[in-house]
Amino acid sequence: MRFLPLRPLALASLVANVALVVTGAAVRLTGSGLGCPTWPRCTDSSYTTTAEMGVHGVIEFGNRMLTFALGIIAVACVIAALLEKPRRRSRVLLSVAVLFYIPLQAVVGGITVLTDLNPWVVGIHFLISIVIIAFAYALWRRAAEGDGPPVPLVPRPINHLVWILSAVSAAVIALGVVVTGSGPHAGDEDAKRNGLDPATVSQAHADVVFLLIGLTVALVFALRAVKAPATTVRAAVVLLVVELAQGLIGFVQYFTHLPVLLVGAHMLGAALVWTSTLAVIWSLRSRPDLPAPPAPTELSPTPVADDEPVPSSR
């Protein structure tokens, strides 16, 4: 339907879920994780923040309100997918997946408060955002594609390399969650950490980052060797640039004792690395429209030549 276009709504959902990662980082980095000390209410007697709770309550409550905005956008995406003519099953399923995970994300966020910011629960809370971003990105890309079968743009070994790279990218993000759970900026000064040695888990995280960068460099050269489409090569180069920028921020923040602004930028960078990885996956094939069926032709009587006799009716 023209009045409810799916693709812009899917893009809004993607951007809003990336923004949730940033606002969630702001909650943690400002020590506002328990600004609303209970859930689903903000206090035992109020669903909203109170003046006595100060700026921490405002920050935490504002992050909770963003969930409702995400839910509204997700509902709009589902409606838009259902109203499409013709209706595409894959788009409906992707929009429903985004809508399903948003309340799940809210519940896990509530559990983080009820468990006094348990670092493992906080990590799961972040990883659910990564899953939602994947579904939202897929919906945005699928909304612009045709209904024909996918057409591969690169040889099969390149596909295998990209899937390995994607698994390593996910591992980098997961290890980053473990590193976060071992260090400062827990969201509250009394919150417990996961008990792991920060230096050890940071080294493991860095090792996997180097592996990811190496795989991405290999992918760029492989794509150029097989003369892959320019869009595919560009997606791989963008991923490499984002990884290098994210790695630089990571090293600087580590050696400068984790300043708040750099940690926040690193959280945004994690979401950008993930979306750039997804962009590479989607650049490996195209999905054109199905060819239009031939227009029906009307049957017409066979013309009679001027020199042919006309059959008698007798």
Side-chain angles (χ1 to χ4, degrees):
M1 300 293 287
R2 292 184 180 274
F3 66 92
L4 200 62
L6 177 59
R7 185 165 166 81
L9 287 171
L11 178 60
S13 179
L14 173 62
V15 172
N17 278 285
V18 172
L20 183 65
V21 171
V22 178
T23 60
V27 170
R28 183 169 59 84
L29 295 171
T30 58
S32 304
L34 296 178
C36 287
T38 188
W39 187 87
R41 298 188 179 193
C42 194
T43 69
D44 291 334
S45 58
S46 174
Y47 281 97
T48 62
T49 185
T50 62
E52 293 78 10
M53 300 169 68
V55 66
H56 295 309
V58 172
I59 293 173
E60 165 63 6
F61 184 72
N63 189 59
R64 292 187 183 190
M65 289 300 98
L66 183 57
T67 300
F68 289 98
L70 296 179
I72 292 171
I73 297 173
V75 170
C77 286
V78 172
I79 295 173
L82 289 172
L83 293 179
E84 279 192 318
K85 301 296 182 182
R87 183 183 302 170
R88 279 79 168 180
R89 183 171 178 268
S90 62
R91 301 178 189 178
V92 173
L93 292 177
L94 287 169
S95 62
V96 169
V98 173
L99 180 60
F100 169 79
Y101 273 98
I102 288 174
L104 176 63
Q105 171 81 311
V107 171
V108 174
I111 295 173
T112 66
V113 173
L114 297 178
T115 58
D116 295 326
L117 306 181
N118 180 290
W120 299 109
V121 181
V122 173
I124 293 173
H125 188 51
F126 172 77
L127 292 177
I128 291 176
S129 284
I130 295 300
V131 173
I132 297 175
I133 287 171
F135 281 123
Y137 185 90
L139 178 62
W140 176 59
R141 292 296 296 262
R142 190 68 187 91
E145 292 183 327
D147 298 319
V151 178
L153 301 177
V154 297
R156 187 181 296 271
I158 300 291
N159 280 277
H160 295 162
L161 174 59
V162 169
W163 284 112
I164 293 171
L165 182 151
S166 302
V168 174
S169 180
V172 165
I173 294 172
L175 279 172
V177 169
V178 177
V179 173
T180 298
S182 69
H185 306 306
D188 187 83
E189 59 182 14
D190 296 325
K192 295 181 179 180
R193 313 313 291 137
N194 59 25
L196 300 176
D197 178 53
T200 301
V201 292
S202 295
Q203 183 61 58
H205 178 59
D207 291 342
V208 182
V209 168
F210 283 125
L211 174 60
L212 176 61
I213 292 174
L215 288 171
T216 308
V217 170
L219 175 64
V220 171
F221 280 105
L223 290 173
R224 291 186 180 278
V226 300
K227 294 180 170 51
T231 53
T232 307
V233 177
R234 187 182 308 117
V237 171
V238 169
L239 173 60
L240 179 60
V241 171
V242 173
E243 289 170 353
L244 292 174
Q246 175 74 334
L248 177 62
I249 294 172
F251 275 105
V252 173
Q253 72 166 4
Y254 181 81
F255 289 109
T256 55
H257 307 293
L258 304 176
V260 169
L261 290 179
L262 283 182
V263 174
H266 201 56
M267 294 288 290
L268 173 61
L272 295 180
V273 167
W274 184 234
T275 53
S276 299
T277 302
L278 297 172
V280 171
I281 295 173
W282 282 82
S283 71
L284 299 179
R285 52 78 166 150
S286 66
R287 191 187 289 266
D289 284 318
L290 288 170
T297 57
E298 295 183 1
L299 296 177
S300 57
T302 303
V304 178
D306 292 340
D307 56 350
E308 291 183 3
V310 178
S312 172
S313 60
R314 290 180 292 175

